Every structure is written in C-alpha cells, then in structure tokens.
Amino acid sequence: MDAPVKRADNTLVLDREHIPFKTDDGIGTRANLGLLVLRTDQTIEDEFRYALPARDIALYEARLYSDVEITPENLMKMSAVIPATVGLLPDVKFDVIGFACTSGALVIGEDKVAARIHEVLPGVQVTNPVTAARAALKALGVSRIALLTPYLAKINHSLRASLMARGMDIPVMGSFNEADDNVVARITPASVKQAILEIGASSDCEAVFVSCTSMRVARIIEEVEKELGKPVTSSNHALAWHMLRLGGIGERIAGKGELFRR
C-alpha cells in the first residue's frame, strides 16, 4: 500500500464556511417519547429497542439516581430527583414521559410521579409501569393475573396489595426473591420463561404480569404466550405499549405478543 502523501504545511486545501442547509422535524415525526431510567437499570433500553417501531419514533432517556438495594425507603428517595432528571432530557416537544420503575411508582404514587414531572413539563402525558399494566390488562380483557417479581417478600406483598387496591385480582404469585438490582438484570430469559410457565399454568389466572424493569421479558413474550396459551406482559413491555398508544401510535404490531396486537 502506498504511503500517505505528507503535506509540507498545515494549509487547508478547502475551507468552506456557511454551507447552506435545510431542517426538518427531526427523528420523532410521529412521536417524541421521554423515559426516566433508573441508574441501576441494565435492561430497559434493549427492551424498548425491541418493542418500538424502527422509524419515526424518537426515544430520549435520562438516568435517575437510584440505590442498588430495592427497599421502600430507597424507592421513596427517588421522588426528590425526578424534576432534575426530567431537566436532563433534550429540548423537544414530548408527547409522553415514562417513569420507568414499577415499585417506585407504587411507593411514591402514580399521581405524585406525574406531578413531579409536570413541575418541569406541564401538561405532558405521563405513564409508568403500574399505570401501563392496568391499561394493558384492560386492553387484553383479563382481570385475574399471576404476578411474577424478583423482589423480597416485603416488597412482593406490598406490591400485590397496592395492585389489588387499583382493581387487579392477583390469586397467584411467584418471586426470585432477589434484592440486588444488578443481580436481577442477570436473571436469564430462560429462567424467567420457566417461572412464567410455572405460575401461569394455574387455572386461577388468565394472564401473567412480570414486574420490574430490570427483568428481561419482552423478547420472549411471543414464544412464551404460544406455550402458555395465555397473554403475558411485563413492566417494560406494557410501558412501551402504553407510551406508543398515548403518543398516538395505534396500529397493531406483529411479533411482540398479544398486547401489541390490540
């Protein structure tokens, strides 16, 4: 290969200034979605890349400080940093903001999460995995669900009670009982699938909801639904679907599970 030609000095061959350009509406010509992602979350970006349409939907994320250990006290602390985290999102006109923490939405409160976001972006539509799951289960036409979580027992039963207070009927539960969010992100999809099939087989449930944005579920939902014969959704799966629907993206999407065909 010939050696590169060396110039004797640093004189520019061409220095063109003020090149004319045109602008358009950017990436999100159909919808601009904003996502508040926990500092510890290692899963949700991949799940959203899988779930969202490939073009014309802009997704912007900001990391929200969170502790590794999932406790009610640590979850409540996140409320204070929501406005500053929203402020890290780019300056675009957002259609929807998603707060990506299931247990945090329950501990802080769905309305309180929305109020904190509205401190920075008044009037924007807001959702979270709890609000999204309720909308998803309604769209699927199911009321009795099996709940799968990675949480410790204290969080599990508080979660069940909170979801039931919001109208869900949860006669079946299962848990990996892991407090460390870094470990939860490493639970294999095969393990999640086996757990879904185990608890979802109960005749007392019509569908399965997998709680926690760190759980890898979206990519296996289509196959596990075929084996189980019942609808399955998760925190990330339901949140992505709900943000799309709130953002005006209403078409059915094949290959992502029964929910995305609704």
Side-chain angles (χ1 to χ4, degrees), residues 36 64 75-87 97 99 104 108-124 126:
L36 308 186
L64 184 149
L75 292 168
M76 182 58 75
K77 285 192 292 184
M78 292 192 296
S79 176
V81 296
I82 290 174
T85 306
V86 176
I97 301 292
F99 174 75
I108 298 168
E110 296 164 83
D111 291 341
K112 180 66 173 179
V113 167
R116 302 246 62 187
I117 291 170
H118 286 151
E119 291 175 24
V120 182
L121 295 175
V124 72
V126 176

Side-chain angles (χ1 to χ4, degrees), residues 91-172:
D91 187 16
V92 302
K93 181 174 176 53
F94 283 100
D95 297 285
V96 188
I97 301 292
F99 174 75
C101 183
T102 317
S103 50
L106 285 170
V107 170
I108 298 168
E110 296 164 83
D111 291 341
K112 180 66 173 179
V113 167
R116 302 246 62 187
I117 291 170
H118 286 151
E119 291 175 24
V120 182
L121 295 175
V124 72
Q125 296 185 99
V126 176
T127 186
N128 61 75
V130 177
T131 303
R134 292 162 60 199
L137 296 169
K138 181 179 180 180
L140 288 167
V142 296
S143 58
R144 291 180 292 112
I145 66 167
L147 175 64
L148 176 64
T149 89
Y151 312 126
L152 300 180
K154 181 179 180 181
I155 293 285
N156 287 333
H157 293 288
S158 175
L159 174 66
R160 178 176 182 263
S162 296
L163 292 175
M164 290 183 68
R166 288 162 171 79
M168 296 187 190
D169 184 9
I170 307 173
V172 179

Side-chain angles (χ1 to χ4, degrees), residues 199-218:
I199 69 169
S202 172
S203 60
D204 290 311
C205 69
E206 301 170 297
V208 179
F209 174 62
V210 184
S211 178
C212 186
T213 61
S214 288
M215 297 274 275
R216 289 179 280 170
V217 188

